[in-house]
Amino acid sequence: MTDLPPDLPRLRTLETWLVLTLERVRRQIEDAERRERERQRGIAARPPEPEWRLEGGRHQGPLFVHVGTCWDGRKRSRGITREQARRALAEGVRACPQCNPDAELRFLE
């Protein structure tokens, strides 16, 4: 016993439908693979994470020095060098209480 139709016209119709469906699936696979390649290229092209960050306030000067991977203040900060981070701490900019860059910089008061 089979679940396929017994006559040729319906079998041909089913074949046509399967071919069209397979083509659609293959196009979807190609699109998904293309999107994944583009995503991987984007990841590879990202600039490296800065080692240190300086968080700035909207209307005042710098607020905190952060380790580059700190989750806090990521959108409101810019990358700086190790020397700039040490200089900012020396000038009175506070160290982030979450990531403690002063400990990593060995700049403890």
Side-chain angles (χ1 to χ4, degrees):
M1 177 148 221
T2 178
D3 58 343
L4 295 175
D7 59 300
L8 187 58
R10 286 191 292 171
L11 284 171
R12 292 288 185 204
T13 300
L14 182 59
E15 177 188 37
T16 301
W17 180 82
L18 288 170
V19 167
L20 292 173
T21 301
L22 181 59
E23 288 172 1
R24 284 183 52 214
V25 168
R26 286 181 174 159
R27 280 194 305 271
Q28 286 290 101
I29 289 170
E30 287 173 5
D31 289 346
E33 288 173 340
R34 179 185 42 77
R35 285 191 304 270
E36 180 60 21
R37 283 191 306 272
E38 290 171 357
R39 190 181 75 78
Q40 291 297 327
R41 267 196 306 271
I43 289 171
R46 274 187 203 149
E49 190 78 31
E51 194 174 355
W52 308 98
R53 292 183 181 273
L54 184 63
E55 179 183 348
R58 288 195 184 269
H59 303 291
Q60 65 250 32
L63 300 175
F64 292 105
V65 173
H66 296 273
V67 173
T69 56
C70 181
W71 59 270
D72 194 16
R74 193 173 281 251
K75 292 192 183 206
R76 302 173 307 271
S77 63
R78 62 181 173 86
I80 58 174
T81 65
R82 181 180 198 86
E83 186 53 43
Q84 290 171 322
R86 290 182 62 80
R87 191 174 324 122
L89 290 171
E91 292 172 356
V93 178
R94 294 182 296 172
C96 170
Q98 310 302 328
C99 63
N100 300 313
D102 49 350
E104 283 202 40
L105 289 166
R106 292 183 171 70
F107 191 89
L108 302 172
E109 297 178 55

